[in-house]
């Protein structure tokens, strides 16, 4: 018997990027941390073959590349771009949750992180026609 899906996760994937609402944030940049949780189909638990699952190294590479390739004002937009790229490039991913947090956010309070989390599913589309 094999599992219908399995949970693959990547925790505390750090990167530096130039996102932020203010021009100063876009010039200076920030440290970010990303969490990825994927529900993956395939029968790798039986076959022991990488082709029957999702390569988490390739997932991490695409996620960071997408999150850092251009500047954006809102983390919501960055999170949506990362989720859309992963769902489109990895068809075995059935459900994906992307969480992106800005370390030490520039707010008038002491906070370790502030961020956004979005969940995407294979084949689901939003009103603009892009995959969610």
């Amino acid at each position: 018997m094999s599992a219908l899906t399995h949970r693959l996760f990547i925790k505390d994937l750090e990167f530096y990027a130039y996102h932020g609402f203010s021009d100063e944030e876009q010039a200076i940049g920030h440290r970010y941390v990303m969490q990825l949780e994927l529900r993956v189909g395939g029968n790798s638990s039986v076959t022991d073959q990488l082709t029957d699952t999702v390569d988490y190294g390739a997932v991490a590479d695409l996620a960071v590349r997408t999150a850092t390739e251009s500047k954006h004002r809102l983390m919501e937009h960055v999170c949506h771009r990362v989720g859309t790229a992963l769902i489109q490039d990895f068809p075995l991913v059935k459900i994906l949750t992307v969480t992106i947090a800005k370390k030490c956010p520039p707010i008038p309070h002491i906070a370790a992180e502030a961020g956004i989390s979005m969940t995407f599913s294979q084949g689901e589309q939003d009103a603009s026609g892009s995959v969610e």
Side-chain angles (χ1 to χ4, degrees):
M1 174 181 238
S2 64
L4 295 176
T5 63
H6 56 274
R7 178 180 168 262
L8 187 147
F9 61 90
I10 301 171
K11 287 186 166 193
D12 300 332
L13 184 60
E14 292 196 27
F15 61 95
Y16 199 88
Y18 298 87
H19 308 304
F21 186 73
S22 70
D23 292 340
E24 291 83 9
E25 284 184 282
Q26 290 205 340
I28 295 168
H30 265 89
R31 283 180 51 216
Y32 292 84
V33 63
M34 186 175 346
Q35 316 296 333
L36 301 170
E37 183 172 322
L38 304 84
R39 294 296 297 188
V40 179
N43 58 351
S44 60
S45 61
V46 175
T47 66
D48 199 28
Q49 298 297 310
L50 185 58
T51 55
D52 291 327
T53 189
V54 174
D55 178 347
Y56 57 80
V59 168
D61 287 345
L62 179 58
V64 170
R65 190 169 61 251
T66 302
T68 59
E69 68 189 356
S70 56
K71 296 178 183 181
H72 301 286
R73 296 286 178 187
L74 300 177
M75 284 192 294
E76 289 88 335
H77 188 72
V78 178
C79 194
H80 187 265
R81 287 176 49 86
V82 170
T84 299
L86 292 174
I87 283 286
Q88 288 177 346
D89 280 23
F90 297 97
L92 286 178
V93 175
K94 304 304 178 198
I95 299 172
L96 164 70
T97 299
V98 178
T99 303
I100 299 176
K102 184 179 288 187
K103 306 287 270 178
C104 301
I107 60 175
H109 307 284
I110 298 171
E113 300 176 342
I116 183 77
S117 186
M118 292 183 181
T119 300
F120 303 81
S121 63
Q122 198 62 257
E124 198 175 300
Q125 293 192 351
D126 66 12
S128 69
S130 62
V131 174
E132 275 194 356

